[in-house]
Amino acid sequence: MYDYYQSQVTNYKEFYPKNKPAGALESTLILWRMLYKSPFYRDSHPDFPASFSEHCKGIMKDACVARYKKLLELSESFDMTDVEAVVDGLVGLSESLTKEIELDVRYYKAAFKKDVDIVRLTSETYLREFVATLEEHLDMIVSDDAIKNASKGIFSLYKKLRTMDEKYGKLVPGLKRLSQYAAFNVERWFFPFVTKWLDNLAEQTLEWVTNAVRADNFEAQGEPVDSDDGQLPPHSSSVTDIFTAIYQQLEFIMDLGWSNAVQNAGFFQKFAKSVNRAMEHYCDAIGTGELKQEPNTNKQNWNLLQSRQNNSPKDINLESCVKLCNIEYAVLKLDEMSKLINVASLTQTVRDYRATMAPARHKSPQGSTPRQDEDDDDEEVHGAFKVQVAYAENVKPVTTAGLANAYVTIRVPDGTTVPPPDPDDLSNAVMPTNFLGAAGRVLPVTTSSSGPTILTGSACEQARTRVIYDTVNPAWDETFMLLLPPVTRIDVFVYSRNLLTSDELCGRATLDMARQTRLRRKLSDHHTHDVFVETEPQGRLLLRLTLEGEEEDVNFWFRRSRERLNRTRDDFARALCSKISPYMKEVIAKSMKEHEAAPVQQSFFSSLTGAVQYSNNTAAGISIDRTVTSSEADHLLSPMTDYLNKNLQTLCQLLSVPMAKEVIKRLWDEVLLNVDHLLAPPLYGQLERDRKVLNARQLSMASWTLRIMRDFFHADGEAFGLAPRQLDSRRHADLTALLEAYPAELARVKRDYEAAAARGRDKELLLRLVRLRVERQEDLAQGDREDGRKWIEIQLARRKG
């Protein structure tokens, strides 16, 4: 009878489900207790404890172990090498154990109350056994196979364990929380998994981006999205797919509820770095073929293709507009994500932790190599340095057509010393001795194991772009990762390729990288910065510079992602303008050429022996002294305005208002740039063979061009029209002043320039006009021409001084 009652009690959930019938379990316990305390049974079992409660506790503990093993057997996978199935089994086991405790609390606690705290006993026993089971599977949980194939299941297991922790604390108030139990440390178990999962996430994001872009036809879909700047137009599927995948992973991290604030911030830092990789890859993917050449495209074919595209009017590509909308949407989603995870708080957590660790971090063994962030205090800069050569403006023309075949080289100074590698620095074991530029060209960094190396000649060259032919406004968009030796400056050169003679220098500049310079201070945050470099003697070059470093946090990566998206947005806006501006340039130039003086017909022999003589009339027989009327100017510019109306309508339909206005503003700047070029040549370089001083009719045409196009882009102040303050820029004012000064005598123009220079005002356009008049004014005496050239040299020298 004793064994019969004991069997019923130890298997109480099977014999008395939900403690039914009422009172049956209590009666069985009473009978079992009576038999245990009977003299006959006590005499037969003298080794048993005197207390029935103590005896019952031992028996029920063994019963709990047996029941745990039964539950474990039911949940185990048939194939213990199948990680996903094993994890699912552990999840199922945790659910079963939680249900067991809930049943004890709800139905059986009162029945066992007199003899044993069944809830506490069951909880402690299941906990001990479950910990042992988890420890057995720990290596499998953090394996590469689990990371790739069972991540969702492991996250689910983690959540179940956290739920067990919370429930046990509520169900068993006297029992310590599982997270406080010495052996039960959920975060200790799962920290290696989360870390490896985040590292793997960085690789997965590249695959998501590639697949999303490949599946996207870049057609606008969905509804407009609200933003601080108004509504963003519909975007295409790729950017939505990417952020959907990113948010799914973010949800896993946010659901962790990680108690260690520093570790939690570290997780989000790794996540932010993966987001940055996704944004970088997405910008590269959608920009390929539009902002930069295809990876396998021959450079000469690419340049030829670009030049051909610029020779005929091309309507704006709808796909380009959708991609630009995608970038705007990505910026919006990135900002939303930043607010959601509270980047500022996470960043502060990391910085506070680093501040407490600062003494240990900066204490290095004697002779050890300092960290990159410590090197910020060095006079010289060295290490990984990323340079993107974006584009140049107003490169010095050197060909007879007034253009250049431009490329850029980046050099360290002659005599730069490359120190030998530190044998105690483990980073040398993995640091490459050279890097590949965007063009696949090896960039040499000479090292020596025996001593320092002195760089001279061609060894000083760190990067070289491809050649962009026949332009003074080339765009390269090439990125180079350099491993700089210790230097305080970097030299930048713009050359023009010449197939017959040596390449001609078009411009040069120096980047001062010494410790106290403004540029060094900007780069010390290890973000990418746009740096416009003024080249000598003329023009400027946009370089995007990044000094790589180790002081990273969540905000660092979100800011880097935002900056990359903004740069790509600007590049797409520039690319849209580059498709429209060639035809604008062609129409404006043609309208000016329409009014130039026609050559006088000469006999065959006269044409061989004398210079070309020009009449006082245009080819249409109109006097060159007669100004152009408004209707004539409208007629000549109508192909351009019609073309712009068509394409700007597309822009305004597909882009946001701020972005469309940005593109329109850039087109207005292109108009001003084209008129500027037609009125006066650059200060330096070769003048075009057909460059002449403009006549009165041409000047009036230039004036009408400015007025008509200003009104066109103002659009009566409508939604997409530019405001007067945007239209009436400094360049517009300078061109208007130049048109007024253009007909004046050469001596008067010189005096005006000298007077302005004396007041500290740089009137470069007047100096360029003097150069044109000195070189191409037909009625200028030779002596005056020579005097004019000397005067120009003096003024240029003063400008440099």
Side-chain angles (χ1 to χ4, degrees):
M1 290 295 294
Y2 175 88
D3 292 340
Y4 172 75
Y5 292 135
Q6 176 178 304
S7 174
Q8 288 189 346
V9 172
T10 55
N11 296 284
Y12 60 93
K13 287 188 174 73
E14 285 81 5
F15 281 95
Y16 309 105
K18 296 184 179 181
N19 201 7
K20 299 293 184 180
L25 176 58
E26 289 87 339
S27 298
T28 303
L29 278 167
I30 291 172
L31 293 173
W32 186 28
R33 185 186 309 109
M34 291 173 59
L35 289 172
Y36 183 83
K37 291 186 175 183
S38 67
F40 178 78
Y41 189 83
R42 297 297 302 159
D43 292 340
S44 302
H45 302 84
D47 54 332
F48 280 15
S51 168
F52 173 75
S53 295
E54 185 177 349
H55 176 70
C56 180
K57 184 176 181 180
I59 295 295
M60 293 307 298
K61 184 179 294 185
D62 292 340
C64 285
V65 172
R67 183 159 184 83
Y68 175 85
K69 291 180 179 179
K70 181 179 179 181
L71 294 173
L72 175 62
E73 182 179 354
L74 292 173
S75 63
E76 278 185 333
S77 167
F78 291 106
D79 182 3
M80 295 303 292
T81 63
D82 185 343
V83 178
E84 192 170 5
V86 170
V87 171
D88 288 343
L90 291 173
V91 172
L93 177 60
S94 68
E95 292 175 345
S96 299
L97 297 178
T98 301
K99 289 179 181 178
E100 290 278 316
I101 303 301
E102 289 175 342
L103 288 174
D104 284 339
V105 171
R106 186 171 183 180
Y107 299 110
Y108 303 104
K109 183 178 181 179
F112 283 95
K113 183 177 182 180
K114 185 174 182 180
D115 299 303
V116 63
D117 186 344
I118 192 65
V119 176
R120 175 181 289 275
L121 184 144
T122 306
S123 300
E124 290 178 344
T125 304
Y126 284 172
L127 171 62
R128 183 180 63 253
E129 296 297 324
F130 190 54
V131 166
T133 302
L134 286 175
E135 293 283 4
E136 290 177 4
H137 293 91
L138 188 58
D139 290 340
M140 179 178 286
I141 289 175
V142 299
S143 67
D144 292 339
D145 189 13
I147 300 296
K148 293 179 180 179
N149 302 315
S151 293
K152 289 185 178 180
I154 295 175
F155 276 113
S156 177
L157 174 61
Y158 172 85
K159 291 174 68 175
K160 291 295 181 183
L161 296 182
R162 295 301 295 259
T163 301
M164 287 176 64
D165 185 7
E166 295 172 1
K167 283 189 175 182
Y168 279 31
K170 293 177 181 179
L171 297 176
V172 194
L175 183 69
K176 289 184 177 181
R177 291 279 299 273
L178 301 184
S179 55
Q180 298 171 339
Y181 184 75
F184 195 93
N185 191 327
V186 179
E187 293 185 357
R188 175 177 63 83
W189 288 329
F190 284 86
F191 179 78
F193 162 76
V194 177
T195 302
K196 291 182 69 174
W197 175 78
L198 287 167
D199 291 337
N200 184 66
L201 179 64
E203 299 300 325
Q204 281 187 311
T205 53
L206 302 185
E207 184 178 346
W208 297 337
V209 172
T210 300
N211 293 336
V213 173
R214 186 181 294 124
D216 196 355
N217 57 8
F218 292 102
E219 293 181 357
Q221 59 184 29
E223 298 296 326
V225 180
D226 291 329
S227 72
D228 294 338
D229 295 324
Q231 283 193 329
L232 296 182
H235 45 274
S236 66
S237 63
S238 58
V239 69
T240 306
D241 293 344
I242 291 169
F243 274 96
T244 298
I246 290 175
Y247 267 100
Q248 288 175 350
Q249 309 311 309
L250 175 60
E251 186 176 351
F252 284 134
I253 302 174
M254 297 187 71
D255 285 348
L256 290 175
W258 208 262
S259 63
N260 187 310
V262 175
Q263 290 181 351
N264 185 58
F267 292 157
F268 280 100
Q269 180 174 318
K270 283 179 173 287
F271 169 77
K273 188 173 183 178
S274 297
V275 172
N276 174 253
R277 292 191 67 183
M279 296 300 99
E280 294 273 0
H281 190 50
Y282 186 64
C283 290
D284 287 338
I286 66 175
T288 300
E290 295 202 44
L291 305 181
K292 60 183 180 179
Q293 68 185 72
E294 298 279 357
N296 298 321
T297 303
N298 180 276
K299 293 180 190 176
Q300 286 187 329
N301 292 343
W302 170 261
N303 291 333
L304 181 59
L305 177 62
Q306 293 298 96
S307 64
R308 285 178 177 174
Q309 288 180 343
N310 291 338
N311 286 336
S312 58
K314 294 289 184 181
D315 290 333
I316 286 178
N317 190 347
L318 301 185
E319 182 176 311
S320 300
C321 294
V322 173
K323 289 179 177 180
L324 189 48
C325 290
N326 287 358
I327 294 296
E328 290 191 275
Y329 178 80
V331 172
L332 176 66
K333 299 303 290 184
L334 195 70
D335 289 341
E336 288 179 357
M337 189 182 298
S338 175
K339 295 175 183 177
L340 176 64
I341 67 177
N342 196 349
V343 166
S345 175
L346 293 169
T347 300
Q348 191 60 47
T349 298
V350 173
R351 292 176 179 174
D352 291 345
Y353 172 74
R354 285 175 177 164
T356 62
M357 300 297 292
R361 290 173 62 227
H362 292 293
K363 188 183 296 182
S364 55
Q366 185 175 2
S368 65
T369 302
R371 293 164 51 94
Q372 174 71 47
D373 52 315
E374 294 170 347
D375 292 345
D376 287 342
D377 293 330
D378 293 345
E379 181 64 26
E380 298 170 319
V381 64
H382 61 90
F385 190 63
K386 186 168 71 173
V387 180
Q388 181 187 356
V389 184
Y391 61 86
E393 296 174 344
N394 195 27
V395 170
K396 173 185 169 184
V398 295
T399 68
T400 56
L403 303 171
N405 304 318
Y407 67 92
V408 174
T409 66
I410 298 174
R411 296 171 56 89
V412 295
D414 273 355
T416 295
T417 301
V418 180
D422 183 354
D424 296 326
D425 186 3
L426 297 179
S427 64
N428 287 315
V430 297
M431 182 64 73
T433 58
N434 58 62
F435 285 84
L436 285 178
R441 177 174 172 274
V442 176
L443 309 176
V445 178
T446 308
T447 59
S448 171
S449 59
S450 59
T453 302
I454 307 299
L455 300 182
T456 58
S458 61
C460 294
E461 184 175 309
Q462 301 292 298
R464 178 181 293 208
T465 68
R466 69 186 189 276
V467 180
I468 305 295
Y469 290 92
D470 299 328
T471 181
V472 292
N473 299 301
W476 295 278
D477 287 313
E478 291 190 69
T479 301
F480 303 89
M481 181 65 79
L482 312 180
L483 186 59
L484 291 179
V487 292
T488 57
R489 79 171 200 265
I490 299 172
D491 297 323
V492 182
F493 299 88
V494 182
Y495 288 96
S496 179
R497 172 62 55 84
N498 194 317
L499 298 178
L500 300 179
T501 62
S502 59
D503 295 347
E504 187 166 349
L505 181 64
C506 296
R508 64 175 298 165
T510 296
L511 297 177
D512 189 352
M513 307 288 288
R515 179 165 56 91
Q516 296 300 330
T517 60
R518 181 181 178 185
L519 177 59
R520 177 71 173 275
R521 291 196 298 269
K522 285 178 63 176
L523 295 176
S524 63
D525 65 359
H526 308 300
H527 284 284
T528 301
H529 293 274
D530 285 4
V531 178
F532 282 98
V533 180
E534 299 292 333
T535 54
E536 185 66 30
Q538 70 179 43
R540 68 174 186 170
L541 179 69
L542 174 60
L543 300 178
R544 287 169 175 157
L545 308 178
T546 311
L547 182 62
E548 300 294 339
E550 299 180 3
E551 288 297 320
E552 303 167 358
D553 50 38
V554 185
N555 182 63
F556 175 91
W557 291 111
F558 268 90
R559 179 179 165 188
R560 177 170 281 195
S561 299
R562 192 179 298 107
E563 288 174 348
R564 177 58 199 273
L565 289 170
N566 288 338
R567 289 197 304 274
T568 303
R569 178 196 61 197
D570 293 342
D571 289 343
F572 264 101
R574 180 165 53 85
L576 286 174
C577 292
S578 69
K579 293 180 180 179
I580 298 176
S581 58
Y583 186 63
M584 294 169 54
K585 178 180 179 180
E586 179 182 328
V587 172
I588 293 173
K590 186 177 179 181
S591 69
M592 298 288 285
K593 193 170 183 64
E594 188 86 8
H595 304 297
E596 70 178 6
V600 177
Q601 291 187 352
Q602 296 175 294
S603 66
F604 173 75
F605 292 104
S606 298
S607 63
L608 294 177
T609 58
V612 178
Q613 300 295 320
Y614 291 92
S615 68
N616 292 324
N617 296 325
T618 66
I622 303 173
S623 172
I624 59 175
D625 295 326
R626 176 183 165 188
T627 58
V628 175
T629 65
S630 173
S631 59
E632 289 175 325
D634 276 329
H635 174 72
L636 288 171
L637 296 177
S638 60
M640 177 172 64
T641 54
D642 292 344
Y643 169 72
L644 286 173
N645 271 323
K646 176 183 177 183
N647 283 278
L648 294 185
Q649 184 178 7
T650 302
L651 280 179
C652 297
Q653 288 175 347
L654 295 180
L655 299 184
S656 65
V657 174
M659 200 68 250
K661 294 180 77 169
E662 172 64 23
V663 175
I664 294 170
K665 173 63 169 60
R666 289 171 182 256
L667 293 175
W668 168 238
D669 291 339
E670 286 291 330
V671 171
L672 298 178
L673 184 64
N674 289 326
V675 174
D676 176 297
H677 176 73
L678 291 169
L679 289 177
L683 280 179
Y684 300 91
Q686 186 168 338
L687 268 63
E688 305 96 305
R689 286 174 296 185
D690 58 351
R691 167 78 72 169
K692 302 181 186 68
V693 178
L694 300 182
N695 58 47
R697 190 165 177 82
Q698 289 176 304
L699 290 177
S700 64
M701 184 65 214
S703 179
W704 275 117
T705 299
L706 292 180
R707 278 184 277 180
I708 291 172
M709 297 311 298
R710 184 190 183 283
D711 292 342
F712 177 86
F713 287 118
H714 180 53
D716 295 326
E718 294 181 358
F720 292 91
L722 300 181
R725 59 180 175 80
Q726 295 175 295
L727 293 163
D728 299 331
S729 61
R730 172 68 180 275
R731 185 186 290 272
H732 179 261
D734 288 344
L735 290 175
T736 302
L738 179 63
L739 285 169
E740 294 176 358
Y742 207 99
E745 293 293 332
L746 179 58
R748 171 67 182 275
V749 178
K750 288 181 180 180
R751 289 196 301 271
D752 289 347
Y753 176 81
E754 290 172 340
R759 296 193 301 270
R761 299 175 60 188
D762 183 20
K763 292 288 187 178
E764 180 186 314
L765 280 174
L766 289 180
L767 189 56
R768 288 164 54 189
L769 175 59
V770 172
R771 184 186 182 214
L772 173 63
R773 298 276 286 273
V774 167
E775 297 296 338
R776 296 299 168 88
Q777 186 170 323
E778 295 179 355
D779 59 354
L780 192 64
Q782 186 60 32
D784 293 338
R785 200 179 303 277
E786 293 300 328
D787 290 342
R789 288 170 179 162
K790 292 177 182 179
W791 182 88
I792 292 173
E793 290 178 2
I794 293 173
Q795 304 308 317
L796 291 176
R798 288 177 177 172
R799 281 167 57 89
K800 292 181 180 179

